[in-house]
Amino acid sequence: DSGVTQTPKHLITATGQRVTLRCSPRSGDLSVYWYQQSLDQGLQFLIQYYNGEERAKGNILERFSAQQFPDLHSELNLSSLELGDSALYFCASSVGKQGSSGNTIYFGEGSWLTVV
Amino acid sequence: SQQGEEDPQALSIQEGENATMNCSYKTSINNLQWYRQNSGRGLVHLILIRSNEREKHSGRLRVTLDTSKKSSSLLITASRAADTASYFCATATGANSKLTFGKGITLSVRP
């Protein structure tokens, strides 16, 4: 158990809909990361927050948005969903703002999203 | 685009044998990390090696890093069936040390 909690574990929704994925980082971790894993694209970095502020942006679509709240939990909002958005979405956390300069990044179990 | 490229893509060995997986990357890195993923599960962090380190050990795992060749290897000694999983290398680059993952290696350990 990494200590990173993600909900829901599984989600099935229709095209055009909007969903919200939730993440609670490990206790004491200030950085939260979101990754998308799909068969064709592999593991793609979406976005990073540190202590409530956006820190780095990756291959995140404009239809997607995220935020980190004062209690450090984070939400990833996916809207106008398309079939190709079906993937496993991971949240990860680390202690520091430069997550990988020496700090380990811990991953949650992921949220399986299926768009039908 | 993928920064780390693992090799081979798939590896099948007998229990008790050693498994060696390689990772090559293109640009300078801050550190390199190896992760394991069991089917449909989350990523489990195995080991982190900084750019100024050449070798690290953790239990049955040994990781080497050659920054001149921009490559790393993960050795799992005395493999077990429970080691069956996908293994990813991830490179941390840039001021924010963003992690970029390779496509992964599928390791099958036959009992």
Side-chain angles (χ1 to χ4, degrees):
Chain A
D1 182 7
S2 67
V4 179
T5 305
Q6 290 187 247
T7 57
K9 287 185 168 38
H10 298 273
L11 190 57
I12 301 175
T13 190
T15 54
Q17 295 298 304
R18 172 190 169 96
V19 298
T20 297
L21 309 180
R22 194 178 190 280
C23 169
S24 294
R26 292 189 331 144
S27 177
D29 284 0
L30 298 178
S31 275
V32 168
Y33 311 77
W34 286 97
Y35 283 81
Q36 178 196 59
Q37 186 178 34
S38 61
L39 280 174
D40 54 344
Q41 295 291 323
L43 264 161
Q44 297 284 324
F45 168 71
L46 297 179
I47 198 162
Q48 177 197 357
Y49 281 84
Y50 174 77
N51 204 20
E53 293 188 4
E54 184 181 304
R55 180 75 186 165
K57 218 166 186 176
N59 301 325
I60 188 166
L61 299 173
E62 284 190 13
R63 299 183 285 109
F64 297 178
S65 65
Q67 54 183 327
Q68 186 180 28
F69 295 87
D71 67 352
L72 301 178
H73 92 270
S74 178
E75 291 181 355
L76 178 67
N77 299 298
L78 313 173
S79 61
S80 302
L81 285 167
E82 303 174 358
L83 296 177
D85 297 327
S86 295
L88 183 54
Y89 290 85
F90 285 110
C91 172
S93 72
S94 68
V95 170
K97 107 177 49 167
Q98 289 189 343
S100 302
S101 63
N103 295 327
T104 297
I105 294 182
Y106 295 91
F107 282 75
E109 289 290 310
S111 292
W112 278 100
L113 172 66
T114 302
V115 182
V116 296
Chain B
S1 63
Q2 305 292 343
Q3 157 77 318
E5 296 284 341
E6 294 100 340
D7 169 62
Q9 290 187 336
L11 182 60
S12 180
I13 59 174
Q14 201 71 36
E15 204 165 28
E17 294 180 339
N18 296 341
T20 299
M21 291 167 271
N22 302 301
C23 171
S24 60
Y25 56 91
K26 296 175 183 146
T27 63
S28 296
I29 61 172
N30 299 331
N31 65 65
L32 185 145
Q33 305 183 37
W34 284 91
Y35 286 82
R36 185 188 74 225
Q37 183 180 32
N38 289 77
S39 181
R41 302 294 302 277
L43 289 148
V44 175
H45 183 266
L46 296 176
I47 201 162
L48 180 154
I49 186 164
R50 292 180 175 79
S51 59
N52 61 353
E53 296 175 314
R54 292 297 166 256
E55 187 171 314
K56 280 190 88 166
H57 296 256
S58 177
R60 294 184 295 113
L61 305 180
R62 172 177 167 253
V63 168
T64 61
L65 179 65
D66 187 334
T67 52
S68 66
K69 293 181 180 176
K70 292 187 170 56
S71 67
S72 172
S73 67
L74 170 67
L75 170 67
I76 304 175
T77 59
S79 64
R80 305 166 182 167
D83 295 328
T84 295
S86 293
Y87 291 80
F88 294 86
C89 76
T91 52
T93 59
N96 288 319
S97 291
K98 185 185 80 172
L99 265 189
T100 304
F101 285 82
K103 290 187 183 294
I105 298 170
T106 302
L107 173 66
S108 298
V109 181
R110 304 185 300 274

